[in-house]
Amino acid sequence: MSNTNYEVIVVGAGLAGLSAANLLHEKGLHFKVIEASSRPGGKVKSVKRDDSERSFELGAQFINTDMEEMVKWIKRAGLELCETKIPPRPAEMIYPGKKEISEAIDQHEEQFEEIKVQIDKQDERLSDLYDRLSLSHDEKQVVTSIYKELINIDPQEVSARAVLDLTYRFPSEQDDLTHQVWNPLADLVHFMEKELADHIMYQEPIVEIQETQSGYKLVSGENSYNANAVIMAVPPAVASRITYSSSLEKCYRRALNSYKNGAIIKTTWVYDHPFWHDYEVEGQNRGIMDVVYTDPQGVTVSDSSKEGGEHRLTMFIGANTAEELANERRDQQMETALSWLEDVFGKEALTFKDAEQSVWVKDEYCGGGYGAGIKYGELPNAAEVLRTPSGRFAFASSELSEQFPYFMEGAIRAGQAAVSRTLGE
């Protein structure tokens, strides 16, 4: 048991927790970060080959230049921002149709404004929302597949109001995530952790939070910690497994239980030659930038090459397709992903010189997918409920961010906002 009373305890050392902790450090406060796993970063995780400079991002990877807090941290860490390479004559293709994604699909979000007004009082399933779109049956199949990958949850299970809220919390004028960090993102995480090393406790999962006369008592399996204020910087579906005091339970339990973890499997292949730069789409040679599969649903492939770097393709497998594949052996997961890539690009897909795969399904401490989504039939405004502090207790995660939810930028902003809210600034 720790007899120390901290001004603030941050639970979680992902980007939200590290962002909050760095701000507390700058303010000169007495704080502690308690992380359940053995490493910082959460869903930001890199792996580097021992025999080369090659690295892979197993989790979050892409940003754009409107994500100002990420850009600031990248510059502070002395890292280099680079553009994602755009292939010549770029095309976004549907498979197995081998047709270019239509303008109607690209612009379907423009119909959301009118739909949002219609469902503000009565929520519906995200899958039902597609029936309101002025799209053909085949186009709706493409949109369904896109959202299965983006939201990482079957659209039949997801609140349409909550998803529409996410679209309005993405304020960027840029539609695409145009940039990456040249260096491994783990370098950024370690930079954010550097000043906090003496303040972080690893492998200490919190299981209960009690309210005391002076603040809060946080209980792990073997230890307890006291603080005047608490920032819960963990995904809401993970935070739902913790037991809280009766008043916190009353304030937050339904909102926490409204979330379901997403599911994503990410596979990246490295090639000597970018064969996808010369691909026939509707009778023309094009460079494939993205592929959206309608069979299987929830699968996309993107050219993830960095400008001036190696030639790479990355496949994202989301929602129930990822959940089913996660039940297979790791070698079978890789074989299945490669077979789907071969379906599109033929035998050249098999000529990769390196590959890496990561499975973000039911992770004990990070949850799954890009983030957790709000279930249909639960609180569509659960993010707003969890953003609102109770006393000096606040939640912070990318899912809850008022801007750029589900992105690294959102996590950083959520951590900063939680500090202001718990300190009453």
Side-chain angles (χ1 to χ4, degrees):
M1 177 178 292
S2 172
N3 293 320
T4 305
N5 192 81
Y6 298 96
E7 290 179 270
V8 185
I9 285 180
V10 179
V11 180
L15 287 193
L18 293 175
S19 170
N22 272 277
L23 192 52
L24 295 171
H25 182 69
E26 291 173 11
K27 293 177 178 293
L29 298 178
H30 184 45
F31 69 94
K32 190 77 171 177
V33 180
I34 303 177
E35 165 61 38
S37 74
S38 59
R39 63 171 185 85
K43 290 176 185 170
V44 178
K45 186 178 182 181
S46 312
V47 62
K48 187 175 180 179
R49 295 291 185 251
D50 293 334
D51 58 351
S52 72
E53 291 298 311
R54 181 179 300 136
S55 64
F56 293 86
E57 297 302 337
L58 303 184
Q61 180 170 351
F62 302 97
I63 69 168
N64 69 36
T65 52
D66 284 342
M67 297 178 175
E68 296 175 354
E69 298 304 318
M70 268 297 291
V71 172
K72 287 178 187 176
W73 271 108
I74 290 165
K75 290 180 178 179
R76 284 173 63 182
L79 305 179
E80 182 182 350
L81 195 63
C82 65
E83 292 186 11
T84 299
K85 189 170 186 177
I86 299 176
R89 309 172 306 283
E92 297 176 294
M93 187 183 76
I94 303 164
Y95 185 84
K98 289 193 175 183
K99 295 182 179 179
E100 191 165 5
I101 288 179
S102 68
E103 185 175 340
I105 294 172
D106 271 341
Q107 297 179 358
H108 75 274
E109 289 187 4
E110 294 179 6
Q111 301 179 45
F112 283 170
E113 187 67 44
E114 181 180 345
I115 293 173
K116 186 175 186 297
V117 174
Q118 296 172 8
I119 66 172
D120 259 350
K121 293 183 180 179
Q122 183 70 39
D123 195 13
E124 60 186 42
R125 300 176 192 275
L126 181 60
S127 54
D128 293 335
L129 180 146
Y130 304 150
D131 292 334
R132 296 173 176 268
L133 298 175
S134 299
L135 299 173
S136 69
H137 172 76
D138 288 346
E139 288 172 332
K140 289 177 182 178
Q141 288 294 102
V142 177
V143 171
T144 298
S145 189
I146 289 171
Y147 278 95
K148 277 192 174 185
E149 185 261 309
L150 285 176
I151 306 300
N152 307 161
I153 302 172
D154 191 312
Q156 293 186 7
E157 300 181 59
V158 183
S159 160
R161 277 181 59 188
V163 171
L164 292 182
D165 178 57
L166 288 176
T167 65
Y168 291 111
R169 285 155 57 197
F170 187 84
S172 177
E173 295 297 321
Q174 304 177 46
D175 291 333
D176 296 317
L177 301 179
T178 53
H179 286 71
Q180 304 177 53
V181 178
W182 182 263
N183 323 71
L185 276 167
D187 291 355
L188 175 61
V189 171
H190 293 317
F191 178 81
M192 296 179 75
E193 178 201 31
K194 184 172 63 175
E195 296 294 329
L196 310 174
D198 295 336
H199 300 272
I200 303 182
M201 173 78 70
Y202 289 106
Q203 295 182 295
E204 189 80 343
I206 296 299
V207 298
E208 183 178 358
I209 298 178
Q210 306 166 358
E211 289 181 270
T212 65
Q213 288 186 341
S214 59
Y216 304 89
K217 179 180 180 181
L218 289 76
V219 181
S220 68
E222 299 180 357
N223 300 302
S224 63
Y225 305 86
N226 297 296
N228 299 335
V230 174
I231 295 173
M232 288 294 295
V234 295
V238 176
S240 70
R241 300 200 303 262
I242 296 172
T243 300
Y244 301 90
S245 66
S246 58
S247 62
L248 292 176
E249 286 280 349
K250 182 178 180 180
C251 189
Y252 295 121
R253 176 50 62 188
R254 188 181 173 196
L256 288 171
N257 289 348
S258 294
Y259 279 90
K260 172 185 169 67
N261 279 319
I264 200 82
I265 297 176
K266 179 182 181 182
T267 312
T268 297
W269 296 271
V270 183
Y271 295 91
D272 284 322
H273 173 66
F275 50 82
W276 57 92
H277 285 188
D278 188 16
Y279 190 96
E280 185 174 323
V281 181
E282 299 185 69
Q284 296 184 338
N285 283 345
R286 306 290 296 275
I288 300 299
M289 185 167 62
D290 296 295
V291 180
V292 177
Y293 292 67
T294 55
D295 184 16
Q297 289 257 315
V299 179
T300 65
V301 173
S302 296
D303 187 337
S304 57
S305 312
K306 297 175 183 177
E307 194 68 59
E310 294 182 307
H311 305 296
R312 299 186 176 208
L313 289 173
T314 297
M315 176 179 287
F316 302 93
I317 304 168
N320 49 332
T321 306
E323 291 174 343
E324 292 167 8
L325 188 57
N327 293 323
E328 304 293 337
R329 297 195 316 267
R330 292 303 294 266
D331 60 330
Q332 292 175 323
Q333 294 166 7
M334 180 67 85
E335 288 173 9
T336 298
L338 184 59
S339 71
W340 290 340
L341 193 71
E342 184 184 1
D343 287 342
V344 177
F345 295 111
K347 296 299 181 184
E348 283 188 290
L350 308 180
T351 63
F352 63 93
K353 59 183 180 181
D354 202 354
E356 192 65 51
Q357 187 175 71
S358 52
V359 179
W360 296 97
V361 180
K362 298 179 181 178
D363 185 275
E364 185 176 11
Y365 301 126
C366 293
Y370 306 136
I374 296 175
K375 296 176 287 187
Y376 170 73
E378 300 294 343
L379 287 178
N381 65 333
E384 181 182 352
V385 172
L386 295 176
R387 279 197 302 269
T388 305
S390 174
R392 301 191 71 189
F393 181 97
F395 288 92
S397 72
S398 177
E399 294 94 334
L400 310 181
S401 181
E402 292 184 278
Q403 294 185 312
F404 298 103
Y406 279 68
F407 294 95
M408 292 182 283
E409 176 77 7
I412 290 176
R413 293 190 184 214
Q416 294 169 342
V419 169
S420 297
R421 289 172 181 141
T422 53
L423 299 182
E425 297 177 346

